[in-house]
Amino acid sequence: MIQDHVYKYYIAQNRSCAESIFLAADEEYRLGASAQALKAAGAFSGGACCGSLCGAAAGGAMAIALATGGPEEPAHDNVEMREKIKAFMAEFTQAAGAEVCREVKPTHFQEGQRCLATVELAAKILEKYLK
């Protein structure tokens, strides 16, 4: 399960929410993520560095995109990917109370654990969209 790998990346390696969920999903499902894709996931750290879209949600969406369709298929034509991401985001938003970092963080942040609870929540939800 993706959740089994989250702590290692998020706490032990001090990765961001986006990097952690993306790396955990890649490890569990062997998605073939490149170093460049991981670097791109870092752009969503701290809600795209400004408290916007939650990094855990963004990393999950990136994992779904990587697992669905091929690189030659334009994203707007990849109906399966779009539907899975929409469903993942809706479920995450319902469970976390928001999809925006500055709204999620106040209720899920814990001293010493940062937003581990949010990353674990995203991992639990993401699991069904990668099976």
Side-chain angles (χ1 to χ4, degrees):
M1 291 182 60
I2 298 168
Q3 278 183 278
D4 297 337
H5 308 291
V6 165
Y7 186 91
K8 169 178 53 181
Y9 294 113
Y10 191 69
I11 300 296
Q13 293 184 16
N14 196 34
R15 294 288 191 160
S16 72
C17 295
E19 292 170 320
S20 297
I21 192 79
F22 187 68
L23 283 166
D26 182 54
E27 182 174 350
E28 181 66 21
Y29 288 97
R30 299 180 195 344
L31 301 176
S34 68
Q36 291 301 100
L38 174 59
K39 184 150 177 79
F44 296 100
S45 300
C49 303
C50 64
S52 189
L53 179 63
C54 171
M62 288 181 69
I64 293 168
L66 193 58
T68 313
E72 67 288 338
E73 184 177 15
H76 56 264
D77 290 340
N78 190 337
V79 176
E80 179 187 7
M81 177 199 73
R82 295 172 59 81
E83 292 304 315
K84 284 183 175 183
I85 291 174
K86 281 192 248 181
F88 166 74
M89 290 300 299
E91 193 170 342
F92 175 84
T93 301
Q94 177 70 31
E99 65 186 29
V100 176
C101 177
R102 66 180 155 268
E103 295 175 18
V104 173
K105 190 174 180 176
T107 59
H108 292 80
F109 182 89
Q110 291 181 329
E111 205 59 49
Q113 298 286 304
R114 302 178 320 179
C115 292
L116 180 61
T118 305
V119 180
E120 290 176 333
L121 175 66
K124 181 179 177 186
I125 295 167
L126 180 59
E127 196 73 46
K128 73 171 99 176
Y129 297 101
L130 293 181
K131 287 188 174 184

